[in-house]
DNA sequence: GCACCACTGGAATCACGTTCCAAGCGCGCG
DNA sequence: CGCGCGCTTGGAACGTGATTCCAGTGGTGC
């Protein structure tokens, strides 16, 4: 972007030199440790023992930094896609990899939901699309199918991130779910028949399992000729 | 929240008095007109011809205000759910209503993707869940199915919002899509077989149609016994 | 030894969200 | 009919964040 000389040389000055990679790495550490709100240029500068100005020489702005961090995590999550016998099973494990990555780095969820056709989204779409190829779906439907799966994944990701943001770090999560479940139970059964009915399921459901159930639903739909 | 007297009386003082409703309305106007970044308490105060302090008497903080605005739009979009013969068709029109509402108010997309089991999400889940009841799906699967559809919708919503934010107000959107399509075409076909293959579809695809295709996919999956 | 340039650190700027506080206003009581 | 009180209001003040600016610094090639 900026910097990265027009002249060709690229001699590592100090070994501890600042670099885009080191900055992104530090950003990820901060995000993982203390959440999205903790990532400020001041904090980043402090952690890298430098000033914010120096960081701006390597990175255009905060949103680019976040995008880079996201791409990084997503790439790692998708890396080394072990192929399995069943292509459908491949899609499932792929989806779970992404789910787990986002579970481990909730801020990635927000970011995916925020940026449009960015690198990270592209990687996911490509990975899923590739696996879907072998389903024998007609080309046009293929694009729709891959998009649907990707959008579903991103949707879940966003919700997970929102939850994580709410209960930074802990398992007040369980308490929160119970609280919502109670709220649903207390709803007027006339006005909200569905929610009051499923309330008990909410309390003990497993996010990961439910996510996978959704993936299976979509896969089943893709298989169906419609 | 705050205010709203412990004592019971609630006599409308001036007719032009500030009120939570009027504030939310003004917020929506600003959001619709100039996007998420334009909604500041200063701008809001200016539009309402008052000070920011006065606003805080009616609304706890910005995120509550955004949530209220979102609930408002979603409620309107879901209102008067005309029932149709086919329950499946009902789900489709319901989904389209939400899609269109978000298309008209992109900031709602960001918001939905950002807040966890908030009122707005609840409304959507309930509406979809109700329609799904008549599918004869077993209860447990029903919750999963409704969640899947909801998450898919929210995922698409987030992407739409992201796009809208990028090309505030205009149709640089088309230009953007073409640009991405070119990027995909230029990708190494070895590394990205899928994207380079579907690139041409990207340029001319219709968001709304593709969204509906995804809904149909999931509906097909729900019908399938698996 | 010198001039240059990639790169650095931190101070300065500007816009926000939020908090504080000194009024303003109408009501009900005396 | 005026007074006091508590709900409301307007706007100033505060703290913090992103971003910009700028005065260096030190290594490189001459």
């Amino acid at each position: 972007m900026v910097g990265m000389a027009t002249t060709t040389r690229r001699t590592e000055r100090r070994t501890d030199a600042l670099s885009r990679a080191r900055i992104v790495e530090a950003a990820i550490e901060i995000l993982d440790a203390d959440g999205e709100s903790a990532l400020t240029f001041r904090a980043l500068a402090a952690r890298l023992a430098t000033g914010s100005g120096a960081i701006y020489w390597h990175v255009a702005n905060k949103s680019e930094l976040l995008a880079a961090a996201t791409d990084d995590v997503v790439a790692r999550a998708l890396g080394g896609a072990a192929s399995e016998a069943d292509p459908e099973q491949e899609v499932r494990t792929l989806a779970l990899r992404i789910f787990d990555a986002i579970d481990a780095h909730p801020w990635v969820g927000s970011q995916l939901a925020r940026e449009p056709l960015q690198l990270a989204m592209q990687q996911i779409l490509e990975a899923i699309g590739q696996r879907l190829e072998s389903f024998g779906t007609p080309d046009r439907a293929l694009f729709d199918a891959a998009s649907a799966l990707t959008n579903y994944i991103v949707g879940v990701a966003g919700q997970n991130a929102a939850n994580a943001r709410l209960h930074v770090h802990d398992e007040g999560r369980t308490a929160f779910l119970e609280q919502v479940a109670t709220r649903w139970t207390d709803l007027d059964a006339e006005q909200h028949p569905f929610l009051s009915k499923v309330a008990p399921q909410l309390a003990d459901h497993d996010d990961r399992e439910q996510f996978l159930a959704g993936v299976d639903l979509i896969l089943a739909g893709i298989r169906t000729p419609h």
Side-chain angles (χ1 to χ4, degrees), chain A:
Chain A
M1 231 74 306
V2 197
M4 300 302 107
T6 47
T7 57
T8 329
R9 59 210 153 106
R10 189 93 299 279
T11 31
E12 311 296 324
R13 303 245 176 147
R14 319 177 187 164
T15 48
D16 70 319
L18 221 45
S19 73
R20 191 179 161 96
R22 258 167 55 74
I23 292 172
V24 170
E25 180 192 1
I28 293 178
E29 285 167 15
I30 292 177
L31 287 165
D32 285 346
D34 301 309
E36 312 177 47
S37 65
L39 182 65
T40 70
F41 276 81
R42 292 197 226 275
L44 200 50
R47 173 177 275 257
L48 290 167
T50 180
S52 37
I55 298 176
Y56 272 94
W57 199 88
H58 297 275
V59 160
N61 53 43
K62 188 169 180 176
S63 103
E64 188 193 289
L65 176 58
L66 277 168
T70 304
D71 292 346
D72 207 78
V73 171
V74 170
R76 248 199 306 279
L78 261 39
S83 39
E84 316 191 24
D86 182 5
E88 187 154 329
Q89 185 56 34
E90 266 188 55
V91 174
R92 302 173 90 240
T93 49
L94 183 63
L96 280 182
R97 277 210 202 186
I98 300 176
F99 181 91
D100 290 337
I102 290 170
D103 200 49
H105 313 275
W107 51 273
V108 172
S110 319
Q111 195 51 27
L112 284 179
R114 201 176 326 295
E115 301 224 19
L117 295 162
Q118 223 55 41
L119 221 38
M121 283 292 290
Q122 252 182 59
Q123 294 181 59
I124 298 178
L125 196 57
E126 171 68 38
I128 290 188
Q130 275 181 29
R131 267 57 165 204
L132 252 40
E133 297 260 30
S134 46
F135 274 53
T137 318
D139 265 28
R140 177 72 208 197
L142 214 171
F143 184 36
D144 289 347
S147 291
L149 256 172
T150 305
N151 278 320
Y152 169 68
I153 292 176
V154 172
V156 175
Q159 294 302 303
N160 274 20
N163 280 328
R165 200 172 327 123
L166 204 49
H167 330 287
V168 199
H169 248 213
D170 61 343
E171 8 46 32
R173 156 160 206 68
T174 325
F176 173 68
L177 278 185
E178 274 168 24
Q179 179 191 322
V180 175
T182 315
R183 201 200 311 156
W184 286 7
T185 310
D186 294 346
L187 281 174
D188 180 8
E190 297 300 319
Q191 289 279 300
H192 302 275
F194 179 74
L195 292 182
S196 51
K197 183 163 90 177
V198 298
Q201 290 182 48
L202 177 66
D204 73 340
H205 89 297
D206 178 288
D207 278 344
R208 199 165 183 273
E209 266 176 38
Q210 193 171 46
F211 167 73
L212 197 52
V215 172
D216 286 338
L217 223 50
I218 300 180
L219 284 176
I222 295 177
R223 265 195 260 96
T224 303
H226 74 286

